[in-house]
Amino acid sequence: MNIAMTLEMAATTGERPAVTLGERSLSAAELLRLARAAAERFRGASAVLYRAPNHLAYPVTLFACALAGVPFVPLNYRLGAEQLTEIEARHPGAERVGPEDLDGLLDGPAAQQADDVQAPWDQDAVAVILYTSGTTAAPKAALLRHRHLLAYVLNTLEFDSAADGDAALVAVPPYHIAGLTNLMSNLYTGRRVVYLPAFSAAEWLATVRREKVTHAMLVPTMLARIVEEIPAGADADVPSLRSLAYGGARAPRTVVEKALRAFPGTDFVNAYGLTETSSSIAVLGPAEHRAALGATDPLVRDRLTSVGRPLPGVEIELRTPEGEVCPVGRTGLVHVRGDQISGEYRGRSVLDADGWFPTGDLGRMDADGYLSIEGRADDTIIRGGENIAPAEIEDVLLDHPGIREAVVIGVPDEEWGQRIVAVLVGTGDPEEIRRWAKGRLRTSKTPDAVVFRADLPRTGTGKLLRRTLIAELTKSDPLDNPEKSHA
């Protein structure tokens, strides 16, 4: 099997628009013709490096690679020249697609000479190489084979099942796993993909209204910006939008609650997944979102911070550091298994002998099978011998009316091993916030210092760069200088 199969199937359903950017749309049949033409250009390359924003040439390049039997490598075009050069050097013999090539892939002479190119039928061949965001370590080259990506699509979706007029807005960048799987999923179900080249909250809302978007996917930072764009207490005024999925990072409960109120007619879905798992492996559905909003039962309300239950074909298991399976309610390391799970990097696989992939996330499963992610295992703060999950403290801080964003990190300390530092975006007095947090947390979990910043360092897909903050605050420890807490 080959991922080009999804485009070939979509091309049999007629000439309706399949992808849209601005004023231009292409049908699936046109996409297939253009991809076949581009495949001739890419054949024989070691890989194809795509270094550009969302564009109609993105699906052309992806499927051309599949047809040519060449790995597709979408790069973060926001990286500096030195970082891009370093990554490109890992792919000798690769073809490069940059901004200057995009229009040529759609309108060049080769586009008029598409032959009936047949995709190689090797499901174990590498389809895509994605560089992970590297929030706690250097980015790794994750390999996704054709069988992994097709397992995600075929196990969770029904072909040509979308309603007439359905349209999905894709604002995540092309080097994000969600950009890839949103394209494949929507083509397979028959839903038109509308691309937003660069995200802004105002443009996102305008595009939803103009294109009558019915489905959309966002990372939590995008969702937070959109909520801020809508006046307090007002309706988002997007009557076409039926479904809004969010994922890719942890979403603060306060943001989700505000979004639910701003989009009262929209079904919300929280999707949890990783690059190495070919996108989503668990979802929290619309019914759970509605039940949690305004619930008086704390167990029901707290479910809003969970990522739901596993998708069909995916097994999830939580393990202790010693490798034992955790009982219900106990925090453990999240392991996953299934046909869509790659768990493979360039030159090595991290799957165990039974096919389980250690995600590096800490999680807790309740008696009903709902999974809550408590952060990366590498993020755990060890203070005085106690393991402390930053997420618990961050949730408390985000309930403070003056705080918009919060990240909690550990900095080295000779006495305690690590001290807790809260880095916040918003307004307030650091000591007042410490007292406020102490009234809601155990003393051992109360931040030792509070630092205000104008913004937080993030990747291009909105993930917090904790290691950047740890390095900066270790170099100039706010605990050594109380004035730093007021910065």
Side-chain angles (χ1 to χ4, degrees), residues 5 16 121 159 162 170 179 205 227 235 242 268 291 308 313 332 338 357 359 364 373 380 397 414 457 476 480 486:
M5 178 183 77
R16 65 193 178 201
W121 208 247
F159 177 65
V170 175
L205 287 164
V227 169
D235 187 303
R242 301 200 307 271
F268 277 72
F357 168 61
T359 65
R364 176 173 37 83
I373 300 298
T380 300
L397 292 169
E414 290 185 5
S476 56
D480 289 339
H486 300 266

Side-chain angles (χ1 to χ4, degrees), residues 4-14 28 32 154 159-160 187-188:
M5 178 183 77
T6 59
L7 177 58
E8 291 169 343
M9 293 174 69
T12 66
T13 61
L32 180 58
L154 300 180
F159 177 65
D160 201 28
L187 275 175
Y188 187 74

Side-chain angles (χ1 to χ4, degrees), residues 215-282:
H215 295 69
M217 188 275 168
L218 297 164
V219 296
T221 49
M222 292 176 176
L223 183 60
R225 300 292 181 268
I226 291 166
V227 169
E228 290 173 4
E229 182 75 14
I230 300 165
D235 187 303
D237 187 27
V238 284
S240 65
L241 191 64
R242 301 200 307 271
S243 176
L244 181 56
Y246 60 95
R250 193 168 177 275
R253 185 185 62 212
T254 51
V255 170
V256 178
E257 288 177 340
K258 289 176 183 176
L260 285 165
R261 294 187 177 98
F263 295 82
T266 301
D267 288 341
F268 277 72
V269 175
N270 185 5
Y272 166 62
L274 301 92
T275 301
E276 298 91 337
T277 64
S278 309
S279 197
S280 302
I281 52 177

Side-chain angles (χ1 to χ4, degrees), residues 44 59 69 113 155 159 195 216 231 242 271 273 281 355 442 444:
Q113 303 166 10
N155 286 344
F159 177 65
Y195 279 118
R242 301 200 307 271
I281 52 177
R442 292 206 313 269
S444 63

Side-chain angles (χ1 to χ4, degrees), residues 161-315:
S161 57
D164 289 344
D166 274 7
L169 180 56
V170 175
V172 293
Y175 53 84
H176 192 289
I177 181 63
L180 173 70
T181 53
N182 262 265
L183 170 63
M184 291 181 58
S185 299
N186 288 306
L187 275 175
Y188 187 74
T189 57
R191 192 177 294 128
R192 178 171 63 104
V193 174
V194 179
Y195 279 118
L196 194 62
F199 174 81
S200 77
E203 182 58 26
W204 187 90
L205 287 164
T207 303
V208 171
R209 294 168 187 143
R210 182 180 66 250
E211 298 289 344
K212 295 182 172 53
V213 168
T214 57
H215 295 69
M217 188 275 168
L218 297 164
V219 296
T221 49
M222 292 176 176
L223 183 60
R225 300 292 181 268
I226 291 166
V227 169
E228 290 173 4
E229 182 75 14
I230 300 165
D235 187 303
D237 187 27
V238 284
S240 65
L241 191 64
R242 301 200 307 271
S243 176
L244 181 56
Y246 60 95
R250 193 168 177 275
R253 185 185 62 212
T254 51
V255 170
V256 178
E257 288 177 340
K258 289 176 183 176
L260 285 165
R261 294 187 177 98
F263 295 82
T266 301
D267 288 341
F268 277 72
V269 175
N270 185 5
Y272 166 62
L274 301 92
T275 301
E276 298 91 337
T277 64
S278 309
S279 197
S280 302
I281 52 177
V283 297
L284 183 75
E288 289 91 347
H289 280 81
R290 293 192 196 95
L293 185 63
T296 55
D297 184 340
L299 292 176
V300 176
R301 187 166 183 260
D302 286 348
R303 194 156 282 169
L304 199 59
T305 63
S306 84
V307 296
R309 294 189 276 199
L311 286 173
V314 174
E315 298 175 81

Side-chain angles (χ1 to χ4, degrees), residues 256-440:
V256 178
E257 288 177 340
K258 289 176 183 176
L260 285 165
R261 294 187 177 98
F263 295 82
T266 301
D267 288 341
F268 277 72
V269 175
N270 185 5
Y272 166 62
L274 301 92
T275 301
E276 298 91 337
T277 64
S278 309
S279 197
S280 302
I281 52 177
V283 297
L284 183 75
E288 289 91 347
H289 280 81
R290 293 192 196 95
L293 185 63
T296 55
D297 184 340
L299 292 176
V300 176
R301 187 166 183 260
D302 286 348
R303 194 156 282 169
L304 199 59
T305 63
S306 84
V307 296
R309 294 189 276 199
L311 286 173
V314 174
E315 298 175 81
I316 296 180
E317 190 172 89
L318 306 184
R319 298 181 186 174
T320 67
E322 296 73 34
E324 300 295 325
V325 177
C326 291
V328 169
R330 178 174 171 181
T331 297
L333 294 163
V334 179
H335 289 67
V336 298
R337 181 169 68 176
D339 289 341
Q340 72 182 65
I341 312 302
S342 164
E344 182 183 2
Y345 305 105
R346 209 168 178 191
R348 66 189 178 99
S349 171
V350 296
L351 299 181
D352 69 14
D354 296 317
W356 289 96
F357 168 61
T359 65
D361 286 337
L362 291 172
R364 176 173 37 83
M365 191 89 76
D366 70 15
D368 295 319
Y370 287 88
L371 174 67
S372 295
I373 300 298
E374 299 182 348
R376 301 289 293 172
D378 291 345
D379 296 340
T380 300
I381 299 168
I382 304 175
R383 186 185 190 278
E386 179 183 1
N387 287 359
I388 297 171
E392 179 185 355
I393 305 171
E394 290 163 359
D395 281 344
V396 168
L397 292 169
L398 286 166
D399 282 336
H400 188 285
I403 297 173
R404 297 199 309 275
E405 297 180 67
V407 58
V408 171
I409 60 173
V411 297
D413 182 81
E414 290 185 5
E415 180 182 1
W416 293 97
Q418 285 182 306
R419 293 282 185 113
I420 302 170
V421 178
V423 186
L424 310 176
V425 176
T427 57
D429 174 71
E431 283 308 309
E432 182 275 327
I433 288 171
R434 287 188 70 249
R435 290 192 298 271
W436 187 88
K438 189 173 182 179
R440 294 159 175 80

Side-chain angles (χ1 to χ4, degrees), residues 82-157:
E82 184 176 338
Q83 291 170 295
L84 281 169
T85 299
E86 180 185 341
I87 292 175
E88 289 178 354
R90 302 179 194 178
H91 299 277
E95 179 85 15
R96 289 164 175 78
V97 173
E100 67 280 1
D101 301 305
L102 300 180
D103 290 337
L105 286 167
L106 302 181
D107 302 315
Q112 310 303 321
Q113 303 166 10
D115 297 321
D116 187 14
V117 179
Q118 297 299 313
W121 208 247
D122 181 3
Q123 64 175 5
D124 285 320
V126 175
V128 178
I129 301 175
L130 286 173
Y131 282 86
T132 62
S133 54
T135 57
T136 59
K140 301 187 290 290
L143 307 186
L144 299 177
R145 300 180 184 274
H146 289 276
R147 59 184 170 85
H148 299 132
L149 293 165
L150 284 173
Y152 169 73
V153 172
L154 300 180
N155 286 344
T156 59
L157 303 167

Side-chain angles (χ1 to χ4, degrees), residues 42-49 65 69-73 88-96 126 129 346:
F42 299 151
R43 199 177 303 280
S46 64
V48 174
L49 310 181
C65 289
V70 172
F72 175 64
V73 189
E88 289 178 354
R90 302 179 194 178
H91 299 277
E95 179 85 15
R96 289 164 175 78
V126 175
I129 301 175
R346 209 168 178 191

